[in-house]
């Protein structure tokens, strides 16, 4: 039995899970709790770019957000370094057969990322967004090492001017997300050349509305990508894409995956989930991976 299995089957943890609303194995037909590890993978960069105390503030704030999440979802949470272990109720056999649990397991990583990293954290030396990655933990015979499961913290840059660039990128990201929250971001749809089957495709461009004009966000997107904070923007783009496709039933769009380096199939699965699992709608989405980068480890399941 692995160390994680011993931990999750221990009498003390069973009692704790019960008090937190996570029912015991016996009442769950032997089902083990759903475990996930969330990692703050930019905290070392934050400490180097600002002050070490801001890194401490980030860790505390993210842990408090995690505690608030499990109060709503029912579960437990514990922090180890830059990683946070979540254990959620595995659900009953009936829920598993109904298909509700796979949907919950698929949605929890996204929810954790949004709750833990969806708002800025304020400190004396600056304001920053924590970059969060989430991985679902499996049960095996090997010993459980949270540092091996969690995403690797990105070290500070060594090139001259890195600190100033990081601070500038963070300020750009904060302004971009503020514009998104204020409703100033716009998805512009532009026709592109038809393919060999004479199917008309449209290219999506992300812009910011300023008064009666819009401006492209190329530089801002590059800054957000360097920081590893594209997940929140992904969600907004996909939701906007859904609205565009619903309003235009004959439209087909082409997506470029380079914004967050996601593999094409991962993008397609995320789009399908966001479009309410409608195969007909998702069939109108093409994925262009020509400029997509290989998924790096720190972005993981996030």
């Amino acid at each position: 039995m692995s160390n994680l299995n011993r931990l999750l089957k221990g009498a003390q943890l069973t009692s704790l899970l019960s008090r937190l609303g996570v029912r015991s194995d016996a009442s769950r037909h032997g089902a083990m709790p759903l475990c996930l590890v969330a990692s703050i993978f930019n905290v070392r960069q934050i400490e180097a770019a600002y002050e070490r105390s801001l890194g401490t503030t980030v860790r505390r704030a993210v842990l408090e957000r995690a505690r608030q999440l499990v109060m709503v979802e029912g579960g437990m949470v514990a922090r180890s370094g830059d990683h946070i272990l979540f254990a959620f109720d595995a659900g009953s056999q009936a829920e598993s057969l109904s298909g509700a649990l796979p949907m919950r397991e698929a949605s929890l990583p996204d929810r954790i990322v949004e709750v833990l990293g969806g708002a800025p954290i304020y400190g004396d030396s600056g304001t920053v967004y924590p970059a969060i990655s989430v991985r679902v933990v499996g049960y095996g015979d090997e010993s459980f090492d949270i540092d091996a499961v969690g995403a690797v913290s990105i070290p500070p840059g060594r090139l001259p001017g890195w600190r100033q660039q990081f601070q500038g990128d963070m300020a750009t990201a904060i302004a971009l997300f503020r514009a998104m929250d204020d409703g100033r971001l716009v998805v512009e749809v532009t026709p592109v050349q038809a393919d060999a089957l004479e199917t008309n495709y449209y290219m999506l461009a992300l812009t910011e509305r300023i008064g009666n004009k819009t401006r492209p966000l190329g530089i801002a997107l590059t800054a957000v990508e360097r920081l590893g904070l594209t997940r929140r923007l992904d969600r907004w783009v996909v939701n906007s894409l859904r609205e565009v496709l619903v309003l235009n039933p004959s439209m087909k769009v082409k997506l470029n995956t380079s914004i967050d380096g996601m593999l094409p199939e991962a993008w397609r699965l995320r789009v399908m989930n966001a479009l309410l699992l409608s195969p007909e709608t998702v069939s109108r989405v093409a994925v262009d991976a020509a400029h997509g980068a290989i998924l790096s480890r720190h972005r993981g399941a996030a």
Side-chain angles (χ1 to χ4, degrees):
M1 183 182 294
S2 70
N3 291 346
L4 179 60
N5 272 326
R6 292 191 189 96
L7 170 67
L8 295 174
K9 285 183 176 294
Q12 291 182 343
L13 183 59
T14 300
S15 175
L16 175 60
L17 292 174
S18 177
R19 294 198 303 273
L20 292 172
V22 181
R23 283 162 281 187
S24 66
D25 289 351
S27 65
R28 288 312 205 174
H29 305 277
M32 296 295 289
L34 174 62
C35 292
L36 305 96
V37 172
S39 305
I40 317 169
F41 62 81
N42 68 340
V43 71
R44 289 178 58 192
Q45 292 180 314
I46 289 172
E47 290 176 332
Y50 299 90
E51 292 180 0
R52 195 171 188 84
S53 60
L54 184 55
T56 301
T57 299
V58 167
R59 292 184 182 92
R60 289 174 177 171
V62 170
L63 179 59
E64 181 57 31
R65 292 174 181 179
R67 287 170 174 163
Q68 294 295 324
L69 175 62
V70 297
M71 288 179 63
V72 175
E73 292 288 343
M76 65 156 287
V77 63
R79 183 175 73 87
S80 175
D82 297 335
H83 310 296
I84 297 176
L85 174 66
F86 290 88
F88 294 101
D89 191 350
S92 67
Q93 188 176 38
E95 289 170 324
S96 179
L97 293 174
S98 72
L101 295 182
M103 288 293 292
R104 183 170 187 252
E105 181 174 342
S107 64
L108 270 175
D110 204 55
R111 177 151 167 71
I112 291 173
V113 170
E114 176 61 20
V115 171
L116 271 55
I121 294 173
Y122 302 92
D124 293 336
S125 59
T127 301
V128 296
Y129 271 92
I132 307 296
S133 177
V134 179
R135 297 171 185 271
V136 177
V137 180
Y139 295 95
D141 293 330
E142 68 279 1
S143 297
F144 176 69
D145 181 357
I146 195 169
D147 290 323
V149 173
V152 175
S153 184
I154 304 176
R158 297 182 178 180
L159 295 177
W162 172 86
R163 185 170 181 267
Q164 291 74 15
Q165 183 186 61
F166 186 91
Q167 292 181 357
D169 286 348
M170 189 62 72
T172 298
I174 291 171
L176 177 64
F177 290 134
R178 184 181 297 120
M180 185 178 74
D181 293 337
D182 292 344
R184 288 185 279 116
L185 293 193
V186 180
V187 172
E188 292 189 345
V189 182
T190 306
V192 295
Q193 187 174 359
D195 61 16
L197 299 177
E198 297 186 355
T199 300
N200 291 316
Y201 281 91
Y202 296 80
M203 190 70 70
L204 300 183
L206 187 59
T207 61
E208 180 182 1
R209 184 188 297 110
I210 303 176
N212 296 325
K213 299 181 179 180
T214 59
R215 69 178 182 90
L217 294 175
I219 296 177
L221 296 181
T222 301
V224 171
E225 186 175 21
R226 277 197 297 262
L227 294 173
L229 297 175
T230 57
R231 181 67 176 267
R232 189 162 181 247
L233 191 60
D234 284 348
R235 185 183 299 104
W236 184 89
V237 170
V238 169
N239 288 336
S240 299
L241 169 63
R242 177 178 178 272
E243 294 177 5
V244 169
L245 292 176
V246 169
L247 292 174
N248 301 273
S250 62
M251 178 180 290
K252 293 188 176 183
V253 297
K254 185 173 292 185
L255 298 176
N256 187 308
T257 65
S258 63
I259 183 172
D260 69 348
M262 289 190 68
L263 297 176
E265 187 58 26
W267 240 110
R268 191 169 183 80
L269 289 174
R270 181 178 295 178
V271 170
M272 182 174 289
N273 184 58
L275 299 181
L276 304 181
L277 304 178
S278 168
E280 186 280 326
T281 304
V282 175
S283 68
R284 294 188 275 133
V285 179
V287 177
D288 179 6
H291 305 289
I294 297 299
L295 191 65
S296 59
R297 184 172 186 266
H298 75 264
R299 285 173 186 148

